[in-house]
Amino acid sequence: MSNDKPKGLWGRLKGGFTAGKNQKESGEAMAGLTKERVLEVLKQVKSPDGTSNIVDQNLVADLFVADGRIVFSIKVPAERAAELEGLRQAAEKVVSVLPEAETVLVALTAEKTPGSPSAPPPAQHKAAPQMASKQEVPGVKHILAVASGKGGVGKSTTSANIALALSQMGLKVGLLDADIYGPSIPKLMGVSGQPEVLENRIMKPLEAHGIKLMSIGFLVEENTAMIWRGPMVVSALNQMLREVAWGELDVLIVDLPPGTGDVQLTMAQKVPLTGALVVSTPQDLALLDARRGIAMFEKVAIPVLGIVENMSHFICPDCGGIHEIFGHGGAKAEAEKMNVPFLGEIPLTMEIREQSDTGVPITQSNPGSPVAKAYGVIAAGLWQRVLQPTGDAARPAPKIVIE
């Protein structure tokens, strides 16, 4: 196998899975790639203090080796995570030269030692660390997160249709699938294949219906189970966000995974979000989780631009009757209670499900339908909130200040 691999993690992912598939087809075995061999080459990487190596100092954790894929983390002090990025790159490089290595993912696990105090920022620059960490995404004017407190409320379907509705308003739109464990955007948008890797390990996003797309689903086989821990997920998300040639975009929609975990916190702390849209269904259980999601964004100073009630009611395809299966109006009432804008409701219809399964969302396949118009109203309301208060420019990105 040639060692002339594309540079960078995603460059290797692009070629790695294809190479792995071809290798399996040719009957070529990978028995030589073991944890022991990986650890042996990692001994070439010096420890942060320079006295030994990262293996002998037990800094290598979560090592996974299978079918040409190598995944592990390096334990470092939280306060030194940024300065030790070179250590991560060195470890990735020495492992990548193994002949059988096709995909290599290395993450720094920066965990604070139990009982140790957090080092406060200098008094005269309290906000500087947070401001520096919120790096802009070149060419992207606004980044909007679409979130939900729990799964199964139709968040990804909402993300895709709102992205299309914004595009139909004449905006340049991108859609990032941030759900590493369960990517849905490739199926919803009817796109498969792998992104082209450009110079400097930058990926070219795939496109569908005029929307630029990126998802982990484009980089791994469909039935691959992602068993990554939090730091690896965060590292992958950062690369999918910043190592992609998005070009000039008016707005990048980020379809977050459900809940309030590592990905959501990373987006809030590291990405200059213009705001968030929360999706819920009407019943009390979903609203309880939506309330937690709103509270999370408020704690990290990310504006909640609105709430959408999905599956607001069921429209019978035979008689046209309306049935409130999950109740009705709960999200609107919750929005009023929490003083958050209510942007609209989406019914549960057979057409939404059918068009989502075919990869042509209803906003694209039937833009004149009542459902597509409902998505359009929500998108218009969302964009109006983005442009407040001046009407022609977005509010400045929020900054987290920790006293």
Side-chain angles (χ1 to χ4, degrees):
M1 182 183 299
S2 171
N3 286 327
D4 186 18
K5 303 172 186 175
K7 294 181 179 180
L9 166 63
W10 299 123
R12 283 192 296 279
L13 274 171
K14 175 183 179 291
F17 283 94
T18 302
K21 181 179 179 181
N22 294 337
Q23 192 175 59
K24 289 179 181 179
E25 290 175 351
S26 64
E28 192 173 327
M30 288 186 175
L33 188 61
T34 64
K35 289 185 178 181
E36 290 72 20
R37 285 194 65 194
V38 173
L39 290 172
E40 188 62 33
V41 299
L42 283 174
K43 289 183 179 180
Q44 302 174 43
V45 182
K46 288 186 177 182
S47 57
D49 59 13
T51 62
S52 182
N53 61 75
I54 61 175
V55 175
D56 290 342
Q57 289 202 2
N58 296 318
L59 300 182
V60 178
D62 307 315
L63 177 58
F64 171 81
V65 180
D67 297 328
R69 300 191 300 276
I70 303 171
V71 181
F72 61 92
S73 58
I74 303 173
K75 296 180 290 185
V76 299
E79 64 275 11
R80 298 191 63 192
E83 68 178 273
L84 292 176
E85 171 61 16
L87 177 72
R88 185 196 70 79
Q89 294 176 356
E92 182 179 301
K93 183 176 180 179
V94 298
V95 172
S96 298
V97 301
L98 289 172
E100 302 91 342
E102 296 174 357
T103 304
V104 180
L105 174 61
V106 185
L108 294 179
T109 303
E111 296 181 353
K112 186 175 65 175
T113 304
S116 64
S118 299
Q124 67 272 28
H125 299 295
K126 287 186 178 182
Q130 288 74 32
M131 292 170 63
S133 65
K134 287 206 169 191
Q135 302 173 9
E136 300 291 332
V137 179
V140 179
K141 295 180 182 178
H142 306 288
I143 304 177
L144 303 180
V146 179
S148 66
K150 67 187 299 293
V153 300
K155 170 186 53 60
S156 295
T157 301
T158 302
S159 297
N161 280 284
I162 286 179
L164 288 165
L166 289 170
S167 178
Q168 291 169 1
M169 291 166 55
L171 301 175
K172 296 177 181 178
V173 183
L175 177 57
L176 171 61
D177 187 351
D179 194 342
I180 302 296
Y181 298 117
S184 302
I185 295 304
K187 176 69 174 178
L188 282 166
M189 298 295 281
V191 181
S192 60
Q194 297 175 334
E196 177 186 353
V197 178
L198 308 174
E199 294 182 1
N200 300 320
R201 74 179 186 180
I202 301 298
M203 292 182 293
K204 181 179 179 180
L206 279 69
E207 292 193 33
H209 316 305
I211 308 294
K212 293 184 177 180
L213 308 169
M214 183 50 61
S215 169
I216 192 70
F218 299 142
L219 302 165
V220 300
E221 295 178 356
E222 187 175 358
N223 59 353
T224 299
M226 307 306 294
I227 57 173
W228 297 348
R229 293 175 183 252
M232 301 177 192
V233 172
V234 169
S235 177
L237 175 61
N238 184 61
Q239 289 178 285
M240 287 197 298
L241 179 67
R242 304 187 190 283
E243 296 183 10
V244 172
W246 291 110
E248 297 296 322
L249 294 181
D250 294 305
V251 58
L252 175 63
I253 301 293
V254 180
D255 179 31
L256 294 177
T260 54
D262 288 337
V263 171
Q264 291 84 351
L265 187 59
T266 296
M267 292 296 297
Q269 293 180 330
K270 302 293 185 181
V271 179
L273 293 174
T274 301
L277 174 70
V278 176
V279 180
S280 180
T281 48
Q283 75 267 39
D284 291 343
L285 182 60
L287 290 169
L288 178 64
D289 292 318
R291 195 176 304 134
R292 295 190 183 103
I294 293 171
M296 181 203 71
F297 284 117
E298 289 178 344
K299 285 183 178 180
V300 293
I302 301 299
V304 177
L305 303 180
I307 295 180
V308 170
E309 181 171 286
N310 197 33
M311 308 182 198
S312 182
H313 51 270
F314 172 67
I315 302 178
C316 177
D318 297 325
C319 66
I322 295 177
H323 306 276
E324 297 174 352
I325 297 176
F326 302 113
H328 181 262
K332 183 177 183 180
E334 194 65 34
E336 293 174 352
K337 186 186 303 182
M338 300 192 73
N339 195 28
V340 173
F342 179 70
L343 297 184
E345 56 186 46
I346 302 297
L348 178 62
T349 71
M350 293 287 287
E351 190 177 8
I352 293 178
R353 193 272 303 167
E354 291 170 349
Q355 293 304 133
S356 297
D357 286 347
T358 63
V360 186
I362 190 169
T363 304
Q364 177 70 20
S365 63
N366 192 1
S369 66
V371 174
K373 290 180 179 179
Y375 280 120
V377 169
I378 292 171
L382 179 63
W383 191 242
Q384 183 180 19
R385 294 287 300 172
V386 169
L387 297 181
Q388 287 180 345
T390 64
D392 57 3
R395 69 187 70 188
K399 299 178 178 63
I400 304 174
V401 179
I402 301 176
E403 299 291 343

